[in-house]
Amino acid sequence: MPRPRSLTPEQLASAALAVIDRDGLAGLSMRAVAKELGMSTMGLYRYVADRDELERLVVERVLGAVDTEPPEPGAPWRERVTVLAGRLRATVGAHPEVVPLTVTHRHHSLGVLRWSETVLAVLTEAGVEGERRVVVLRALLGYVIGAIQLEHLGPLSGPGTTALAALPAAEFPLMAATARDARTVDADREFLGGLALLLDGITV
Amino acid sequence: MPRPRSLTPEQLASAALAVIDRDGLAGLSMRAVAKELGMSTMGLYRYVADRDELERLVVERVLGAVDTEPPEPGAPWRERVTVLAGRLRATVGAHPEVVPLTVTHRHHSLGVLRWSETVLAVLTEAGVEGERRVVVLRALLGYVIGAIQLEHLGPLSGPGTTALAALPAAEFPLMAATARDARTVDADREFLGGLALLLDGITV
DNA sequence: CTTCGTAGGCGTATGCCGTACGCCTACTAG
DNA sequence: CTAGTAGGCGTACGGCATACGCCTACGAAG
């Protein structure tokens, strides 16, 4: 075997992630990443087939970092699911600019698969099985990724809330009121509160 | 006032949507939309400041089409929320290629705002108010957009399910089993089942 | 130690893209 | 009729992803 590869996929992903964290998602380009690595643009193509594959590496780098160790085996299953959901949220939250990429590439992520496997273990232990387990897992995953996006891309958190409070009161009286109420609900409470609703529903 | 505008924003959005539905999201370009409208590329810029604004028009065109009329006033609130959620899902489902765009531009959508207002009316009538109403609305919206994305961008539906069933059984025994179980759960049951869990949680 | 095959890496070139800019044209209000 | 504004077009530029072909560095086989 001649000449070992000098760059690992992990190094590629880290370089791309550094570009994104510094210049935003719009700053991501093959040229920028190559420069970040100190190599020529075309050198990159020795490691990835195209930009899409590079994006997949970035998503896997971010999502693969989620801690999927089974949390505190003694704890009630609700708490364990909550811990797992919180970990996924925190992992993505560390790189908010990547969120739009995760939307398109999530399904290739081993990290999410491992996370799901751990969640399934907790659910199974709690007696959830068969088709119900399918539905519950999908509901949890759906809620978590939706909530993450609302948190990082939506209004109702930060400046959006005040913008929303200024809506035409005639047409959106309840939205305006809700935006006002939302000022005292921080992102953590919102995420955990919604998750608690879902967990309540699973308990029933 | 000289010379009236010859194109409405709605016409612009429809042309762009036609391009997307025909050539996919990747086929969307200022040139393609201009050609679709039978005008020169730069003519488009009389109507939109940039591509971003065109995308926003498309999202608004799609999301604005959701029926936000209060559903059957006599029905229980659970059913009414279910109907509203289903409408949003169906509206987006009519143009799956647009889903990634909705992620980045949803917050500008009057359609979603109107939808939320109607949901809030139902919730309020059901006795949900204050901070709890904030959390419930966000949870519902989070679940619905997350579920829509899982449905249109994820595996576990269609070919993804079988791909998932072929995972290394040693590392993902539960995922494999769940993928097998998922074959008998269609997208409707999955969506409605998860939503029912959330509604159960709200009821508690 | 030599040789040879493979992968690494680079530069060039192509064809898209968004869009800045300046021109002529069609229209309508006075 | 005339003036002024908005509509519309063509050209041009810089940045993008990437196909292609070249030289180079390396490690294994002889």
Side-chain angles (χ1 to χ4, degrees), chain A residues 112-159:
Chain A
V112 171
L113 251 42
R114 274 198 305 269
W115 183 89
S116 301
E117 183 74 17
T118 307
V119 170
L120 283 174
V122 176
L123 290 176
T124 307
E125 207 185 306
V128 182
E129 293 193 319
E131 295 190 344
R132 180 170 171 83
R133 193 171 57 183
V134 173
V135 171
V136 168
L137 175 66
R138 290 282 275 181
L140 281 171
L141 188 55
Y143 171 74
V144 171
I145 69 173
I148 288 173
Q149 287 171 31
L150 284 184
E151 183 176 345
H152 294 290
L153 299 169
L156 214 49
S157 46

Short mmCIF file of all heavy atoms in Angstrom, two decimals, chain A residues 112-159:
data_model
loop_
_atom_site.label_atom_id
_atom_site.label_comp_id
_atom_site.label_asym_id
_atom_site.label_seq_id
_atom_site.Cartn_x
_atom_site.Cartn_y
_atom_site.Cartn_z
N VAL A 112 -27.49 9.69 15.25
CA VAL A 112 -28.93 9.67 15.52
C VAL A 112 -29.42 8.24 15.67
O VAL A 112 -30.28 7.94 16.52
CB VAL A 112 -29.71 10.41 14.41
CG1 VAL A 112 -31.19 10.20 14.57
CG2 VAL A 112 -29.38 11.89 14.42
N LEU A 113 -28.86 7.36 14.86
CA LEU A 113 -29.23 5.94 14.97
C LEU A 113 -28.88 5.39 16.35
O LEU A 113 -29.68 4.70 16.99
CB LEU A 113 -28.50 5.15 13.89
CG LEU A 113 -29.33 4.60 12.73
CD1 LEU A 113 -30.35 5.61 12.24
CD2 LEU A 113 -28.45 4.17 11.57
N ARG A 114 -27.66 5.71 16.80
CA ARG A 114 -27.24 5.24 18.13
C ARG A 114 -28.14 5.84 19.22
O ARG A 114 -28.55 5.16 20.16
CB ARG A 114 -25.78 5.63 18.40
CG ARG A 114 -24.77 4.64 17.89
CD ARG A 114 -23.42 4.87 18.56
NE ARG A 114 -22.98 6.24 18.42
CZ ARG A 114 -22.23 6.70 17.43
NH1 ARG A 114 -21.81 5.87 16.50
NH2 ARG A 114 -21.88 7.96 17.37
N TRP A 115 -28.46 7.13 19.06
CA TRP A 115 -29.34 7.80 20.01
C TRP A 115 -30.70 7.08 20.04
O TRP A 115 -31.24 6.78 21.11
CB TRP A 115 -29.50 9.27 19.61
CG TRP A 115 -30.33 10.10 20.53
CD1 TRP A 115 -29.90 10.78 21.62
CD2 TRP A 115 -31.74 10.36 20.43
NE1 TRP A 115 -30.94 11.44 22.21
CE2 TRP A 115 -32.08 11.21 21.51
CE3 TRP A 115 -32.75 9.97 19.54
CZ2 TRP A 115 -33.39 11.68 21.71
CZ3 TRP A 115 -34.04 10.43 19.74
CH2 TRP A 115 -34.35 11.27 20.83
N SER A 116 -31.23 6.81 18.87
CA SER A 116 -32.52 6.14 18.79
C SER A 116 -32.46 4.76 19.44
O SER A 116 -33.40 4.35 20.14
CB SER A 116 -32.95 6.00 17.32
OG SER A 116 -33.05 7.27 16.71
N GLU A 117 -31.38 4.06 19.21
CA GLU A 117 -31.23 2.73 19.80
C GLU A 117 -31.30 2.81 21.33
O GLU A 117 -31.99 2.01 21.97
CB GLU A 117 -29.89 2.12 19.35
CG GLU A 117 -29.63 0.70 19.84
CD GLU A 117 -30.47 -0.35 19.10
OE1 GLU A 117 -30.99 -0.03 18.02
OE2 GLU A 117 -30.61 -1.47 19.62
N THR A 118 -30.61 3.81 21.89
CA THR A 118 -30.63 3.95 23.34
C THR A 118 -32.03 4.32 23.84
O THR A 118 -32.51 3.79 24.85
CB THR A 118 -29.62 5.02 23.79
OG1 THR A 118 -28.34 4.72 23.23
CG2 THR A 118 -29.50 5.06 25.30
N VAL A 119 -32.69 5.21 23.13
CA VAL A 119 -34.06 5.57 23.51
C VAL A 119 -34.96 4.34 23.46
O VAL A 119 -35.77 4.12 24.36
CB VAL A 119 -34.61 6.68 22.58
CG1 VAL A 119 -36.10 6.89 22.83
CG2 VAL A 119 -33.85 7.99 22.80
N LEU A 120 -34.79 3.56 22.41
CA LEU A 120 -35.61 2.35 22.29
C LEU A 120 -35.38 1.40 23.46
O LEU A 120 -36.31 0.76 23.95
CB LEU A 120 -35.29 1.63 20.97
CG LEU A 120 -35.90 2.24 19.71
CD1 LEU A 120 -35.38 1.53 18.46
CD2 LEU A 120 -37.42 2.18 19.76
N ALA A 121 -34.13 1.32 23.90
CA ALA A 121 -33.83 0.44 25.03
C ALA A 121 -34.61 0.90 26.26
O ALA A 121 -35.22 0.08 26.97
CB ALA A 121 -32.33 0.44 25.31
N VAL A 122 -34.60 2.19 26.50
CA VAL A 122 -35.34 2.73 27.65
C VAL A 122 -36.83 2.45 27.50
O VAL A 122 -37.50 2.02 28.44
CB VAL A 122 -35.08 4.24 27.82
CG1 VAL A 122 -35.92 4.79 28.95
CG2 VAL A 122 -33.60 4.50 28.05
N LEU A 123 -37.34 2.70 26.31
CA LEU A 123 -38.77 2.49 26.08
C LEU A 123 -39.14 1.03 26.28
O LEU A 123 -40.16 0.71 26.91
CB LEU A 123 -39.14 2.93 24.66
CG LEU A 123 -39.11 4.43 24.37
CD1 LEU A 123 -39.41 4.68 22.89
CD2 LEU A 123 -40.10 5.18 25.25
N THR A 124 -38.32 0.16 25.75
CA THR A 124 -38.61 -1.27 25.85
C THR A 124 -38.65 -1.70 27.31
O THR A 124 -39.54 -2.43 27.74
CB THR A 124 -37.55 -2.08 25.08
OG1 THR A 124 -37.47 -1.57 23.75
CG2 THR A 124 -37.93 -3.55 25.04
N GLU A 125 -37.66 -1.21 28.05
CA GLU A 125 -37.61 -1.53 29.47
C GLU A 125 -38.88 -1.03 30.18
O GLU A 125 -39.33 -1.61 31.17
CB GLU A 125 -36.37 -0.89 30.08
CG GLU A 125 -35.83 -1.61 31.30
CD GLU A 125 -34.67 -0.85 31.90
OE1 GLU A 125 -33.72 -0.57 31.13
OE2 GLU A 125 -34.72 -0.51 33.09
N ALA A 126 -39.43 0.07 29.66
CA ALA A 126 -40.64 0.64 30.27
C ALA A 126 -41.90 -0.07 29.79
O ALA A 126 -43.02 0.34 30.12
CB ALA A 126 -40.72 2.13 29.97
N GLY A 127 -41.72 -1.09 28.97
CA GLY A 127 -42.87 -1.87 28.55
C GLY A 127 -43.52 -1.42 27.25
O GLY A 127 -44.59 -1.88 26.90
N VAL A 128 -42.86 -0.53 26.53
CA VAL A 128 -43.40 -0.07 25.24
C VAL A 128 -42.83 -0.96 24.15
O VAL A 128 -41.61 -1.05 23.99
CB VAL A 128 -43.03 1.40 24.97
CG1 VAL A 128 -43.65 1.86 23.66
CG2 VAL A 128 -43.50 2.28 26.11
N GLU A 129 -43.70 -1.59 23.39
CA GLU A 129 -43.21 -2.53 22.37
C GLU A 129 -44.09 -2.55 21.13
O GLU A 129 -45.16 -1.95 21.11
CB GLU A 129 -43.12 -3.94 22.96
CG GLU A 129 -42.04 -4.05 24.03
CD GLU A 129 -41.74 -5.50 24.38
OE1 GLU A 129 -42.70 -6.29 24.49
OE2 GLU A 129 -40.55 -5.82 24.56
N GLY A 130 -43.61 -3.23 20.10
CA GLY A 130 -44.40 -3.41 18.89
C GLY A 130 -44.67 -2.10 18.17
O GLY A 130 -43.84 -1.18 18.17
N GLU A 131 -45.85 -1.98 17.58
CA GLU A 131 -46.17 -0.79 16.79
C GLU A 131 -46.22 0.47 17.64
O GLU A 131 -45.89 1.56 17.18
CB GLU A 131 -47.51 -0.99 16.08
CG GLU A 131 -47.47 -2.11 15.04
CD GLU A 131 -48.72 -2.13 14.18
OE1 GLU A 131 -49.71 -1.48 14.58
OE2 GLU A 131 -48.71 -2.78 13.13
N ARG A 132 -46.62 0.29 18.89
CA ARG A 132 -46.64 1.46 19.76
C ARG A 132 -45.24 2.04 19.94
O ARG A 132 -45.05 3.24 19.98
CB ARG A 132 -47.23 1.08 21.13
CG ARG A 132 -47.29 2.25 22.11
CD ARG A 132 -48.10 1.88 23.36
NE ARG A 132 -47.99 2.91 24.40
CZ ARG A 132 -48.73 4.01 24.45
NH1 ARG A 132 -49.63 4.23 23.51
NH2 ARG A 132 -48.56 4.88 25.43
N ARG A 133 -44.26 1.15 20.01
CA ARG A 133 -42.88 1.62 20.14
C ARG A 133 -42.45 2.42 18.91
O ARG A 133 -41.74 3.41 19.02
CB ARG A 133 -41.96 0.41 20.37
CG ARG A 133 -40.58 0.79 20.84
CD ARG A 133 -39.79 -0.44 21.24
NE ARG A 133 -39.71 -1.42 20.16
CZ ARG A 133 -39.12 -2.60 20.28
NH1 ARG A 133 -38.58 -2.97 21.44
NH2 ARG A 133 -39.08 -3.44 19.26
N VAL A 134 -42.88 1.97 17.75
CA VAL A 134 -42.59 2.70 16.52
C VAL A 134 -43.13 4.12 16.61
O VAL A 134 -42.42 5.11 16.38
CB VAL A 134 -43.23 2.01 15.29
CG1 VAL A 134 -43.06 2.86 14.05
CG2 VAL A 134 -42.64 0.62 15.08
N VAL A 135 -44.39 4.21 16.99
CA VAL A 135 -45.05 5.51 17.05
C VAL A 135 -44.39 6.42 18.09
O VAL A 135 -44.15 7.61 17.85
CB VAL A 135 -46.56 5.35 17.34
CG1 VAL A 135 -47.20 6.69 17.61
CG2 VAL A 135 -47.24 4.65 16.17
N VAL A 136 -44.09 5.83 19.24
CA VAL A 136 -43.50 6.64 20.32
C VAL A 136 -42.13 7.16 19.92
O VAL A 136 -41.81 8.34 20.11
CB VAL A 136 -43.42 5.81 21.62
CG1 VAL A 136 -42.56 6.54 22.65
CG2 VAL A 136 -44.81 5.56 22.19
N LEU A 137 -41.31 6.29 19.34
CA LEU A 137 -39.97 6.75 18.93
C LEU A 137 -40.07 7.88 17.92
O LEU A 137 -39.40 8.91 18.04
CB LEU A 137 -39.17 5.59 18.33
CG LEU A 137 -37.81 6.03 17.77
CD1 LEU A 137 -36.90 6.51 18.89
CD2 LEU A 137 -37.14 4.90 16.99
N ARG A 138 -40.94 7.69 16.93
CA ARG A 138 -41.09 8.72 15.91
C ARG A 138 -41.61 10.02 16.50
O ARG A 138 -41.20 11.11 16.12
CB ARG A 138 -42.04 8.22 14.81
CG ARG A 138 -41.44 7.12 13.99
CD ARG A 138 -40.47 7.63 12.97
NE ARG A 138 -41.16 8.04 11.76
CZ ARG A 138 -40.54 8.52 10.70
NH1 ARG A 138 -39.25 8.68 10.69
NH2 ARG A 138 -41.23 8.87 9.63
N ALA A 139 -42.52 9.90 17.44
CA ALA A 139 -43.06 11.11 18.06
C ALA A 139 -41.97 11.84 18.83
O ALA A 139 -41.84 13.07 18.73
CB ALA A 139 -44.21 10.75 18.99
N LEU A 140 -41.17 11.10 19.56
CA LEU A 140 -40.08 11.72 20.32
C LEU A 140 -39.08 12.39 19.39
O LEU A 140 -38.72 13.55 19.57
CB LEU A 140 -39.38 10.67 21.19
CG LEU A 140 -40.09 10.28 22.48
CD1 LEU A 140 -39.41 9.09 23.13
CD2 LEU A 140 -40.11 11.47 23.45
N LEU A 141 -38.66 11.64 18.38
CA LEU A 141 -37.68 12.20 17.45
C LEU A 141 -38.27 13.42 16.73
O LEU A 141 -37.61 14.45 16.59
CB LEU A 141 -37.26 11.12 16.44
CG LEU A 141 -36.11 11.48 15.50
CD1 LEU A 141 -34.88 11.92 16.29
CD2 LEU A 141 -35.74 10.30 14.59
N GLY A 142 -39.51 13.30 16.29
CA GLY A 142 -40.17 14.42 15.63
C GLY A 142 -40.22 15.64 16.52
O GLY A 142 -39.84 16.74 16.12
N TYR A 143 -40.65 15.44 17.75
CA TYR A 143 -40.72 16.58 18.67
C TYR A 143 -39.36 17.21 18.88
O TYR A 143 -39.20 18.43 18.80
CB TYR A 143 -41.32 16.18 20.02
CG TYR A 143 -41.20 17.31 21.02
CD1 TYR A 143 -42.03 18.43 20.93
CD2 TYR A 143 -40.22 17.31 22.01
CE1 TYR A 143 -41.89 19.49 21.81
CE2 TYR A 143 -40.08 18.37 22.90
CZ TYR A 143 -40.92 19.46 22.79
OH TYR A 143 -40.77 20.52 23.65
N VAL A 144 -38.37 16.37 19.13
CA VAL A 144 -37.04 16.92 19.45
C VAL A 144 -36.47 17.71 18.28
O VAL A 144 -35.99 18.84 18.45
CB VAL A 144 -36.07 15.79 19.88
CG1 VAL A 144 -34.65 16.32 20.00
CG2 VAL A 144 -36.51 15.21 21.21
N ILE A 145 -36.53 17.16 17.08
CA ILE A 145 -35.94 17.91 15.96
C ILE A 145 -36.77 19.14 15.64
O ILE A 145 -36.23 20.19 15.30
CB ILE A 145 -35.71 17.03 14.71
CG1 ILE A 145 -37.03 16.62 14.07
CG2 ILE A 145 -34.85 15.83 15.01
CD1 ILE A 145 -36.83 15.90 12.76
N GLY A 146 -38.08 19.03 15.76
CA GLY A 146 -38.92 20.21 15.53
C GLY A 146 -38.62 21.29 16.55
O GLY A 146 -38.48 22.46 16.20
N ALA A 147 -38.54 20.91 17.81
CA ALA A 147 -38.30 21.89 18.86
C ALA A 147 -36.94 22.55 18.70
O ALA A 147 -36.79 23.77 18.91
CB ALA A 147 -38.40 21.20 20.22
N ILE A 148 -35.95 21.75 18.32
CA ILE A 148 -34.61 22.32 18.10
C ILE A 148 -34.67 23.39 17.02
O ILE A 148 -34.08 24.47 17.14
CB ILE A 148 -33.62 21.21 17.71
CG1 ILE A 148 -33.32 20.33 18.92
CG2 ILE A 148 -32.34 21.80 17.15
CD1 ILE A 148 -32.49 19.10 18.59
N GLN A 149 -35.40 23.10 15.97
CA GLN A 149 -35.48 24.08 14.89
C GLN A 149 -36.24 25.32 15.30
O GLN A 149 -35.87 26.44 14.96
CB GLN A 149 -36.14 23.44 13.66
CG GLN A 149 -35.22 22.48 12.97
CD GLN A 149 -35.95 21.70 11.91
OE1 GLN A 149 -36.88 22.20 11.30
NE2 GLN A 149 -35.53 20.48 11.71
N LEU A 150 -37.34 25.12 16.02
CA LEU A 150 -38.08 26.30 16.50
C LEU A 150 -37.15 27.16 17.34
O LEU A 150 -37.14 28.39 17.23
CB LEU A 150 -39.27 25.87 17.35
CG LEU A 150 -40.48 25.33 16.60
CD1 LEU A 150 -41.60 25.03 17.58
CD2 LEU A 150 -40.95 26.32 15.56
N GLU A 151 -36.36 26.50 18.16
CA GLU A 151 -35.49 27.24 19.07
C GLU A 151 -34.44 28.04 18.32
O GLU A 151 -34.17 29.19 18.66
CB GLU A 151 -34.82 26.24 20.03
CG GLU A 151 -33.95 26.91 21.08
CD GLU A 151 -33.39 25.86 22.05
OE1 GLU A 151 -33.90 24.73 22.08
OE2 GLU A 151 -32.44 26.20 22.76
N HIS A 152 -33.86 27.44 17.27
CA HIS A 152 -32.73 28.09 16.62
C HIS A 152 -33.09 28.85 15.36
O HIS A 152 -32.32 29.66 14.89
CB HIS A 152 -31.65 27.06 16.32
CG HIS A 152 -31.03 26.47 17.53
ND1 HIS A 152 -30.21 27.20 18.36
CD2 HIS A 152 -31.13 25.25 18.09
CE1 HIS A 152 -29.81 26.43 19.37
NE2 HIS A 152 -30.37 25.24 19.23
N LEU A 153 -34.25 28.58 14.81
CA LEU A 153 -34.60 29.24 13.55
C LEU A 153 -35.90 30.03 13.63
O LEU A 153 -36.22 30.76 12.72
CB LEU A 153 -34.73 28.21 12.43
CG LEU A 153 -33.49 27.40 12.09
CD1 LEU A 153 -33.86 26.26 11.16
CD2 LEU A 153 -32.45 28.29 11.44
N GLY A 154 -36.64 29.86 14.71
CA GLY A 154 -37.95 30.50 14.75
C GLY A 154 -37.94 31.80 15.50
O GLY A 154 -36.92 32.22 16.01
N PRO A 155 -39.07 32.46 15.53
CA PRO A 155 -39.20 33.60 16.42
C PRO A 155 -39.72 33.06 17.74
O PRO A 155 -39.60 31.88 18.01
CB PRO A 155 -40.25 34.46 15.74
CG PRO A 155 -41.10 33.49 15.01
CD PRO A 155 -40.32 32.22 14.81
N LEU A 156 -40.26 33.87 18.55
CA LEU A 156 -40.85 33.46 19.83
C LEU A 156 -39.75 33.20 20.86
O LEU A 156 -40.02 33.03 22.03
CB LEU A 156 -41.73 32.20 19.67
CG LEU A 156 -42.97 32.13 20.57
CD1 LEU A 156 -43.74 33.41 20.53
CD2 LEU A 156 -43.86 30.96 20.21
N SER A 157 -38.51 33.18 20.37
CA SER A 157 -37.41 33.23 21.33
C SER A 157 -36.55 34.44 20.94
O SER A 157 -36.33 34.68 19.77
CB SER A 157 -36.58 31.95 21.28
OG SER A 157 -36.32 31.61 19.95
N GLY A 158 -36.11 35.16 21.91
CA GLY A 158 -35.27 36.32 21.64
C GLY A 158 -36.05 37.44 20.95
O GLY A 158 -37.19 37.71 21.31
N PRO A 159 -35.44 38.06 19.95
CA PRO A 159 -36.05 39.24 19.32
C PRO A 159 -37.37 38.92 18.63
O PRO A 159 -38.23 39.78 18.51
CB PRO A 159 -35.00 39.69 18.31
CG PRO A 159 -34.14 38.48 18.08
CD PRO A 159 -34.18 37.70 19.35
#
